[in-house]
Amino acid sequence: MGKEEELLERWRELTPEKQQQVFEFVEALKFESDATAPQSEYIPQTPLAKKLWEIRTRAIASGLQLLNEAEIEQELAERRGGYRES
């Protein structure tokens, strides 16, 4: 039996929760290999930071334009009801 078949066999024996954990682990491994050419020197240290960095990386890869600091401040003000155009 090849490794792929063995992996699928063992996967099917897991509970849905364990399957989700395996999926998240594989995604993390994929992210690490995709990040071989980092755009910056930032290296996330916590699980939350790693997840947020992965989301950011996917958003950029999909063509999403990130907001600059002024645009973030404007959006926050609009959401909080404090922004008024003159």
Side-chain angles (χ1 to χ4, degrees), residues 7 20 40 49 53 55-56 64 70 73-74 76 82:
L7 179 62
Q20 181 63 33
S40 72
W53 192 254
I55 291 168
R56 179 186 187 275
L64 182 71
E73 289 177 7
Q74 180 178 345
L76 284 172

Side-chain angles (χ1 to χ4, degrees), residues 37-57:
Q39 295 179 352
S40 72
E41 294 180 16
Y42 175 72
I43 299 173
Q45 300 296 311
T46 66
L48 176 59
K50 289 176 184 177
K51 189 170 195 164
L52 292 172
W53 192 254
E54 179 181 344
I55 291 168
R56 179 186 187 275
T57 303

Side-chain angles (χ1 to χ4, degrees), residues 2 8-9 11 24 32 36 47 51 62 68 71-72 75 82:
L8 284 173
E9 185 176 309
W11 166 270
E24 289 172 2
E32 287 175 11
T36 54
K51 189 170 195 164
S62 72
N68 63 32
E71 292 167 330
I72 292 171
E75 183 172 323

Side-chain angles (χ1 to χ4, degrees), residues 1-2 4 26 30 34 62 68 75 85:
M1 174 184 313
E4 187 173 330
V26 170
K30 181 181 178 293
D34 289 347
S62 72
N68 63 32
E75 183 172 323
E85 282 203 29

